[in-house]
Amino acid sequence: MTKPRVLSGVQPTGNLHLGNYLGAIRNWVKLQDSHECFFMMADLHAITVPQDPAALRNHTRETAAAFIASGIDPARSVLFPQSAVSAHAELAWILNCHTPLGWLNRMTQFKEKSGKNKENAPLGLYSYPVLMAADILTYQATHVPVGEDQKQHLELARDIAGAFNRAYGEEFFPLPEPLIMPTAARIMSLRDGTKKMSKSDESDYSRITLTDDADAIAQKIRKAKSDMVEGISYDVEARPEVANLLTVYAALTDSTPQQVAAQFATAQASAFKAALVEVAVEKLAPITARMRELMADTAALDALLKRGAQAANDTAQPILAEAKKRVGFLGL
């Protein structure tokens, strides 16, 4: 029986953090047992905002290193830079021509990211949900791991696939299904428990990155915002910062925030943070060390990514050719 196919990725814009790991990457590792997996460094998406070319190349390698160090096995999964597979961009144009403008006008992330500067925002920022649909449909992926903030884009991908299928009278593209990972953890800022941990936050102390050493991890957790309430309890509304630290501890130890809260119910915040430091360093230090090994030999890493890109192309090109045939291109 053919395994269901999964496609997912991360923009290589630097500072991959604990939220990326616990919310996505760690769960992708588990999918390798049950799914045919394609994981990309989404560098085409990255250039919807200005990038320094040298930094983008470095961040692309660093993101690949983080995937591998976290447990994604290039021998079991297809690991590649998005830009190395031209089918993504080619199919995106075809799908652009099947996507009503009104559908894109409903996408909330463009409004959030363009802000008051909408008239000067690049076209790529506006149309990148279509590229996201192309990412999925290029491989005829059946499932996509999604968080709450990506559900709207997956719905659009399903709508676009349906529009293409109706235009040519057959079910060529499968309608991709969301894959909700039960162990995915929503990790919030260490400085504000009501905001999601983000690489774009101005404060380095808001996040633990996958390149932080043990001292940096310890310092950031000790300085993490908590509150003056006595004892440790899990209450997202009343104690968001403490709840976030409990969520991190629970995710790193495969338990629940409620179980961790019961374990540390009478502890001082400082004692709980000390225990969290120990767990975080134990779990993250091997990932950081492996990333450094991989980044020390960029030629070997690039060779690995080139093999992944070839495997991705081997899958994508026949699907793209069939899509072009349906559109009416000569296919010369």
Side-chain angles (χ1 to χ4, degrees), residues 6-8 22-24 26-28 30-31 34-35 142-152 154-155 158 176-186:
V6 161
L7 179 285
S8 199
L22 294 176
R26 184 182 66 159
N27 298 290
W28 297 351
K30 299 173 184 176
L31 290 175
S34 54
H35 292 71
T142 57
H143 293 80
V144 181
V146 293
E148 288 295 326
D149 56 346
Q150 296 171 313
K151 282 184 178 178
Q152 188 184 40
L154 183 60
E155 283 300 319
R158 289 170 57 86
E177 296 287 343
L179 192 60
I180 308 299
M181 303 297 292
T183 57
R186 184 173 171 83

Side-chain angles (χ1 to χ4, degrees), residues 38-279:
F38 288 74
F39 297 123
M40 66 181 184
M41 288 63 74
D43 49 356
L44 293 178
H45 287 290
I47 64 169
T48 56
V49 297
Q51 299 289 336
D52 173 78
L56 180 59
R57 283 188 284 271
N58 183 66
H59 290 153
T60 300
R61 293 184 179 110
E62 187 178 271
T63 302
F67 286 0
I68 297 166
S70 299
I72 291 175
D73 183 355
R76 300 172 65 203
S77 298
V78 180
L79 186 64
F80 63 100
Q82 181 189 25
S83 62
V85 183
S86 62
H88 289 254
E90 289 187 70
L91 184 61
W93 177 254
I94 292 172
L95 298 179
N96 274 328
C97 298
H98 291 78
T99 303
L101 207 57
W103 291 1
L104 292 180
N105 287 337
R106 293 198 295 269
M107 296 293 105
T108 58
Q109 283 201 12
F110 173 73
K111 298 170 188 174
E112 293 166 3
K113 292 188 176 183
S114 60
K116 297 177 181 178
N117 200 31
K118 187 169 71 171
E119 292 302 315
N120 292 319
L123 175 61
L125 187 62
Y126 181 75
S127 65
Y128 90 99
V130 182
L131 176 59
M132 189 176 290
D135 297 334
I136 299 163
L137 301 179
T138 291
Y139 303 96
Q140 294 184 325
T142 57
H143 293 80
V144 181
V146 293
E148 288 295 326
D149 56 346
Q150 296 171 313
K151 282 184 178 178
Q152 188 184 40
H153 287 147
L154 183 60
E155 283 300 319
L156 179 66
R158 289 170 57 86
D159 289 342
I160 293 172
F164 185 96
N165 291 344
R166 288 191 299 274
Y168 302 105
E170 64 175 305
E171 298 300 305
F172 177 67
F173 288 121
L175 303 187
E177 296 287 343
L179 192 60
I180 308 299
M181 303 297 292
T183 57
R186 184 173 171 83
I187 306 300
M188 314 305 281
S189 165
L190 298 180
R191 307 304 296 162
D192 182 347
T194 65
K195 294 180 180 178
K196 194 174 178 182
M197 186 175 284
S198 170
K199 65 179 76 174
S200 61
D201 195 303
E202 290 183 4
S203 173
D204 286 339
Y205 284 90
S206 69
R207 60 189 170 269
I208 293 170
T209 71
L210 297 184
T211 55
D212 282 340
D213 60 20
D215 288 342
I217 292 171
Q219 190 176 32
K220 289 179 178 181
I221 291 175
R222 283 197 295 266
K223 288 181 176 289
K225 188 177 179 183
S226 54
D227 57 38
M228 302 301 291
V229 179
E230 189 173 336
I232 301 296
S233 60
Y234 183 69
D235 188 329
V236 175
E237 296 297 325
R239 308 184 71 185
E241 283 79 24
V242 172
N244 184 45
L245 296 178
L246 287 166
T247 298
V248 172
Y249 193 108
L252 290 171
T253 57
D254 293 318
S255 54
T256 68
Q258 292 82 0
Q259 289 170 333
V260 180
Q263 181 183 345
F264 291 96
T266 60
Q268 296 290 328
S270 58
F272 170 58
K273 285 182 176 180
L276 178 55
V277 166
E278 190 173 331
V279 167

